[in-house]
Amino acid sequence: MGASNCIAHPFNPLFWPTGIWMAERVWEPQLAGSLAKADVDFALLDDFHFIQAGVDENSLTNGPILTDDLGEEVSLLPINEKLRYLIPFHDPHETIEFCREYHKQNPDSVLVMVDDGEKFGAWPGTNDLVYKNHWLDNFLTALAAEKDWLELALPSEIMSSYEPSQRAYLPPNSYSEMSEWSLPMPAAGNYANYRKQLLDSGELSELKPFFRGGYWRQFFQKYEESLLMQRRCLLLHNEQDSPDAEDHLWQAQCNCAYWHGVFGGLYLPHLRHAIYENIIAGTNYSGPEISEVKLLGHNLPDMRINCGDLTLFVSPDRGGSIIGMEDRRSKWNLQNTLRRRVEAYHLSIPDEDPAPVANDSASIHDLIREIPPGFRDAIIDDLYPRFSLIDRLLPVDAKYDSDSIHELDQGNFCDSQYSSSLKRSAHFNDIAVDIERVITPGDNCFTVNWTITNISDKQLSTRFISEWNLALYDNESFLADGSKVDDLNTELSELEVAIPLRDSKLEWKMSEQCSVLVTAVHTASQSESGYEMTYQQHQFLFGILVQLAAGESVDLKIDFAVNN
C-alpha cells in the first residue's frame, strides 16, 4: 500500500484514486483487507478468478462484486476475458457484435475491459496493427456509431451507478495463463497437455471452474532465484532505516523480474540487476562482521559476511555456497545468476523450424516464433543452482567442460548441507573425505581456505574443482591483455578480469598453479520478442590435483578481490 501511495501522489497530491488494477491480476484473499485499509473502493480482476470461485459466469456482467477479509470489504470488477482477446487482435466489428449479444440479453450489462498497454504498440506486430493499419481509428469510429445503445464508462462511474450484486471469496489466482506458468515442471507440461486436450474436445469451458493450475507464489517454488530476491527484499524491509531505503525497497518489489511466462521476466538479467541495484542502494547495514540471516537455508541459517564494501551471503544448506555477492560501490550483485531449466514451452518446440506466417493480428500467446541457431541444443536442465564456491571431486583424468562437470563429479559435496562452520564429511567414490572451508573477510576482498583430509585407509587421487558462477556481461568481460574471458582454458595461479560496464576488476590469486576453465552460460528461453539465447553468467572452474595417502591433509587457498 505504501508503494501505491508513492505512485498516486506524485501525479496530484490532492487526487487519490478509488480503484486499483492489481499487478498481473494476482489475488490472495488477505489483499481485500489491505485494500480496504488503504481506502481503495474497488479492484479490477479477471473473470477467471470468479469462475474458479464457483460464481455463475452469467452473473459476471451485473456490476461490482463484494468480497472481504475479516470484515474489511472491497468491491471487485470482473474483466471480460473474451474482450481481452478480441481487442486489438480482431476486427472492431467482432467486438461490437460481442457487446450487442449481451445488450440483447440485458441492456444494463456491464462488460469490463482493462489490459496491458503494451498490446497497443509494444508487442510484436501491434504497432503496425493498431496504428499503421488503422485498427484504433476503426475501433473508435465503430464505438461512436453505436452510441445509442453502447455506453462507455469509467470503472468509477460503474461503481457510482451499480451496487454490488453478490458476495464472493476468491482463491489465490491470476489470469488463466499465469496458472500454467507458475507451475513447476513436470506439472506445468502436464497441465498444458491436459488443457489442450480439453480445449480441442470443447470441454474446457464447462470444466473451467474445476481445472486449476498454480498461483503466483509458486514462482518462488519454481525458481529459487526469485525466492532469493524476495527474501533479500524482506531482509531490507526488516532493516530499513530511512525514507530513501523504503523507496528503494518498493522499487525492488517491481514484479516483472520475479516470474516468467510468455514474457522474458526472470530470464532477463537486466531486470534482476535492477532489483538488486535497488536492494543494495537501500541497504545500510552496520552490524557484526558475520551475522545470521534467513534467505535460502532450510535447516541452518545463512550467513552474512561483511568484507568492506563487499557483502557475501553464504548458505551452509546449499553446499556452503556463496548465494549473494554484493558490491555496494557499483550496486552490483555478482551472484545474480540463473540456472538453466527445461520449461513447458520447450516440450512443444518442433524438430524442424516452422514456416514463417504473416499474422499481424495474432495475440502474443499465439505467435509463430522463429527458433534461433543453437536454441534446441541449449535446452539443458542444470541439476544444481548456479552459485559460487561449489566443491567438486572428479577423477584425475576426467575431461570435463561446463555441461559435463556435474555428471563427472564423483563427490557428494555439491549442493549438500555443510555444517554452520562450513565443514562436510562425504565420499569420493568409496573413499571418505573431509572438506573444511574457512572464509576470511578483508577490505573489499576475501580469502577462502580449504582443508581436504583423506579420512579413509585408501589412497585418494582426485581433481578438486572450485566452481564459481558470476553474473558478468556477455562480450564485455576482458582479461588483462584485452582479450575476452569467454572460453578461457589454461593453467595459471593468478587471474584478472575487467568489467568496464561496472568500472571493476575481479582478481583471483591461487595458492598454487591450477587449471582454469571459463565458459559463458546462456539460457534458451522465450519472451514477447520470440525465442532467445540469453546470457546469464560466466562459469569459472578452478582445478587442482589432490593426491593424499590415508590420513593426510592438504591446504588450498584462493584470494578474491573486487577492485573499482
Side-chain angles (χ1 to χ4, degrees):
M1 291 304 99
S4 297
N5 295 352
C6 183
I7 292 170
H9 280 302
F11 293 108
N12 186 341
L14 301 178
F15 170 74
W16 181 250
T18 59
I20 190 169
W21 186 57
M22 304 301 295
E24 301 301 331
R25 281 93 80 201
V26 170
W27 180 258
E28 294 187 4
Q30 71 274 12
L31 288 173
S34 299
L35 294 174
K37 290 172 184 174
D39 295 325
V40 172
D41 293 335
F42 68 92
L44 294 145
L45 296 174
D46 277 29
D47 52 11
F48 182 69
H49 296 68
F50 300 86
I51 294 169
Q52 294 233 304
V55 177
D56 182 1
E57 192 167 358
N58 294 322
S59 71
L60 296 180
T61 57
N62 295 335
I65 295 174
L66 201 62
T67 193
D68 73 89
D69 177 53
L70 300 177
E72 299 283 353
E73 294 183 334
V74 68
S75 292
L76 305 172
L77 289 175
I79 301 169
N80 188 280
E81 184 182 75
K82 179 68 173 178
L83 280 180
R84 284 203 302 114
Y85 279 88
L86 285 172
I87 299 172
F89 304 111
H90 290 254
D91 188 272
H93 175 73
E94 293 185 47
T95 299
I96 298 298
E97 291 308 308
F98 176 76
C99 296
R100 193 189 306 276
E101 288 302 314
Y102 276 94
H103 181 264
K104 289 179 181 177
Q105 298 171 27
N106 178 8
D108 293 324
S109 293
V110 176
L111 295 175
V112 179
M113 164 56 191
V114 180
D115 209 351
D116 299 314
E118 294 97 322
K119 71 195 299 184
F120 297 96
W123 288 355
T126 56
N127 186 64
D128 287 348
L129 168 68
V130 174
Y131 305 108
K132 292 183 179 179
N133 298 340
H134 305 293
W135 179 93
L136 183 59
D137 289 340
N138 295 335
F139 181 65
L140 296 177
T141 300
L143 291 177
E146 309 295 337
K147 63 182 180 181
D148 57 329
W149 63 272
L150 182 58
E151 181 182 356
L152 304 182
L154 298 173
S156 57
E157 294 172 324
I158 297 299
M159 291 297 300
S160 299
S161 303
Y162 289 78
E163 294 183 348
S165 58
Q166 57 183 311
R167 185 182 296 271
Y169 293 92
L170 311 184
N173 217 333
S174 181
Y175 48 85
S176 59
E177 297 90 350
M178 187 75 82
S179 68
E180 174 186 335
W181 300 335
S182 58
L183 284 173
M185 288 291 284
N190 294 334
Y191 178 92
N193 289 335
Y194 288 129
R195 187 181 188 280
K196 185 177 186 304
Q197 291 175 23
L198 292 173
L199 187 63
D200 292 344
S201 68
E203 299 175 274
L204 183 60
S205 180
E206 182 180 351
L207 294 176
K208 192 181 287 187
F210 318 107
F211 189 71
R212 182 169 301 167
Y215 73 107
W216 198 86
R217 283 200 194 207
Q218 287 181 272
F219 285 115
F220 298 147
Q221 172 186 344
K222 184 175 183 178
Y223 302 114
E224 194 169 43
E225 299 89 345
S226 178
L227 174 63
L228 183 55
M229 287 190 293
Q230 188 250 10
R231 289 292 180 88
R232 188 61 184 85
C233 276
L234 289 176
L235 186 60
L236 174 57
H237 168 77
N238 293 332
E239 297 177 350
Q240 60 174 312
D241 59 0
S242 70
D244 284 345
E246 188 175 55
D247 186 60
H248 284 299
L249 172 64
W250 289 335
Q251 292 183 68
Q253 292 173 342
C254 178
N255 77 86
C256 304
Y258 288 84
W259 62 280
H260 174 65
V262 74
F263 308 99
L266 179 75
Y267 275 82
L268 301 180
H270 67 279
L271 295 184
R272 303 195 312 272
H273 277 308
I275 298 296
Y276 278 114
E277 283 174 3
N278 278 284
I279 290 174
I280 297 169
T283 298
N284 184 26
Y285 178 74
S286 57
E289 188 175 62
I290 300 177
S291 58
E292 294 183 350
V293 294
K294 182 66 174 177
L295 295 175
L296 295 182
H298 298 151
N299 304 304
L300 294 172
D302 305 305
M303 297 186 295
R304 170 167 44 195
I305 304 175
N306 281 344
C307 310
D309 286 325
L310 189 68
T311 301
L312 305 182
F313 293 95
V314 177
S315 181
D317 265 358
R318 311 314 306 272
S321 299
I322 296 175
I323 61 175
M325 189 186 300
E326 299 176 358
D327 181 14
R328 286 195 289 274
R329 295 160 297 177
S330 58
K331 300 179 179 60
W332 174 27
N333 180 14
L334 285 79
Q335 203 56 63
N336 175 26
T337 55
L338 187 77
R339 78 175 179 89
R340 297 170 296 184
R341 294 170 171 86
V342 174
E343 299 283 0
Y345 54 80
H346 289 147
L347 305 180
S348 60
I349 292 177
D351 292 335
E352 306 245 340
D353 292 354
V357 176
N359 186 359
D360 291 338
S361 62
S363 163
I364 196 168
H365 305 286
D366 303 319
L367 293 174
I368 303 296
R369 301 170 182 270
E370 293 185 10
I371 301 172
F375 187 88
R376 293 179 182 87
D377 293 335
I379 300 174
I380 296 172
D381 202 356
D382 286 334
L383 300 179
Y384 64 98
R386 289 286 183 164
F387 299 141
S388 292
L389 292 191
I390 298 172
D391 296 337
R392 298 188 180 278
L393 298 178
L394 272 63
V396 171
D397 58 353
K399 304 297 182 183
Y400 58 90
D401 59 21
S402 176
D403 293 335
S404 66
I405 184 76
H406 190 74
E407 182 180 349
L408 293 170
D409 185 359
Q410 295 182 8
N412 50 353
F413 293 88
C414 171
D415 203 29
S416 298
Q417 181 175 309
Y418 278 52
S419 69
S420 57
S421 59
L422 299 184
K423 182 176 181 179
R424 176 170 170 78
S425 297
H427 289 81
F428 170 69
N429 293 329
D430 61 344
I431 300 174
V433 180
D434 267 358
I435 294 183
E436 185 172 6
R437 191 191 311 145
V438 176
I439 300 175
T440 305
D443 187 13
N444 308 324
C445 63
F446 60 91
T447 298
V448 186
N449 288 278
W450 289 267
T451 299
I452 302 175
T453 304
N454 179 2
I455 57 175
S456 75
D457 57 0
K458 301 177 182 179
Q459 173 76 19
L460 172 64
S461 296
T462 183
R463 183 167 295 277
F464 172 73
I465 303 288
S466 178
E467 177 179 345
W468 301 49
N469 292 279
L470 299 177
L472 309 183
Y473 288 89
D474 198 16
N475 295 315
E476 292 293 337
S477 305
F478 303 96
L479 298 172
D481 62 4
S483 62
K484 293 179 181 178
V485 71
D486 306 53
D487 301 320
L488 177 69
N489 188 358
T490 188
E491 298 271 338
L492 46 75
S493 59
E494 294 187 6
L495 175 63
E496 180 181 293
V497 177
I499 316 295
L501 291 175
R502 291 288 181 174
D503 194 25
S504 299
K505 286 185 179 180
L506 314 182
E507 296 180 357
W508 288 264
K509 294 182 180 180
M510 283 66 79
S511 56
E512 56 188 88
Q513 192 91 346
C514 65
S515 62
V516 179
L517 176 63
V518 183
T519 307
V521 180
H522 296 75
T523 50
S525 60
Q526 71 175 3
S527 75
E528 57 268 41
S529 300
Y531 292 124
E532 298 174 333
M533 296 289 292
T534 306
Y535 168 82
Q536 299 297 343
Q537 61 261 335
H538 277 78
Q539 179 196 57
F540 294 78
L541 300 176
F542 300 95
I544 298 176
L545 181 64
V546 173
Q547 293 185 323
L548 298 173
E552 285 188 342
S553 297
V554 64
D555 294 324
L556 305 173
K557 184 178 76 168
I558 293 181
D559 295 314
F560 177 77
V562 180
N563 295 315
N564 294 94

